[in-house]
Amino acid sequence: MEAKPGGRHIMFVGLVHPPAAGEKARGVLQFEHAGRVEVEFEVVAMGAPPPGGRAN
């Protein structure tokens, strides 16, 4: 799965403070068939190229 404009996305609600570009956040995704998957998100500024440098 690739996160891109108009595609699938994850929405964060109830955050204590808005994430800042350059921060990293850990989380756990819970899937019906795959179970729990630990992930780390890297926060990038709106309009910035994605981590890894590949633009959409």
Side-chain angles (χ1 to χ4, degrees):
M1 181 175 96
E2 182 179 351
K4 58 185 176 181
R8 297 180 184 267
H9 66 279
I10 297 171
M11 184 177 298
F12 296 93
V13 294
L15 297 174
V16 176
H17 63 84
E23 287 185 347
K24 292 188 179 182
R26 292 178 182 256
V28 176
L29 302 177
Q30 178 69 44
F31 296 95
E32 183 176 350
H33 298 288
R36 294 170 52 93
V37 177
E38 292 186 20
V39 294
E40 183 176 79
F41 300 97
E42 182 176 339
V43 180
V44 296
M46 291 289 289
R54 291 187 293 146
N56 292 333

